[in-house]
Amino acid sequence: QAQLAASGGGSVQTGGSLRLSCAASGSPLSYTCMGWFRESPGRGREGVAAIDSDGRADYLDSVKGRFTISKDNGENTLYLQMNNLKPEDTARYYCATRGCSHRDYDALLGYWGQGTQVTVSS
């Protein structure tokens, strides 16, 4: 089973951009669906984006057109490019291997590493 470590979070103003990375070790990601979910007080865990082994992506409606999920199989790394960030995107972001739809990551149980904090100020 792959060990996952998310990084790249930070504090930005509304409209800013961040690129999250998820380094995987222990198992190749080439044939795996992966995704990002976020967690914040009052909202719980919310699936944000997912990608399948062919590179097809699926997004939460509120991030469509702003976020892009991608995967570098050679580097065994998952990415989430986040543009035009909004205060409601503030959360701790995690990567996981669960399914190929962003909905597969809603209310996802279990420990998925420490995640990376994204804070967007208005």
Side-chain angles (χ1 to χ4, degrees):
Q1 185 174 353
Q3 301 296 313
L4 306 174
S7 62
S11 296
V12 298
Q13 293 187 326
T14 298
S17 298
L18 286 171
R19 188 191 194 202
L20 306 185
S21 299
C22 174
S25 60
S27 179
L29 304 180
S30 304
Y31 306 106
T32 302
C33 289
M34 296 191 68
W36 292 91
F37 68 93
R38 61 191 180 189
E39 185 171 32
S40 59
R43 282 213 315 235
R45 292 182 172 183
E46 177 181 52
V48 174
I51 188 168
D52 70 11
S53 57
D54 292 325
R56 288 183 293 256
D58 181 68
Y59 298 96
L60 176 70
D61 281 348
S62 63
V63 308
K64 284 181 180 176
R66 301 189 296 121
F67 290 12
T68 302
I69 187 173
S70 61
K71 187 166 62 168
D72 186 330
N73 292 330
E75 295 293 326
N76 228 32
T77 302
L78 179 73
Y79 299 100
L80 185 68
Q81 177 68 44
M82 306 187 295
N83 298 328
N84 192 20
L85 282 160
K86 302 177 180 181
E88 51 264 42
D89 296 319
T90 295
R92 181 164 289 271
Y93 285 70
Y94 302 81
C95 52
T97 55
R98 174 59 64 191
C100 304
S101 167
H102 76 277
R103 301 182 194 281
D104 293 330
Y105 298 82
D106 287 341
L108 184 62
L109 299 177
Y111 178 74
W112 293 96
Q114 295 186 337
T116 187
Q117 179 67 35
V118 172
T119 302
V120 186
S121 57
S122 57

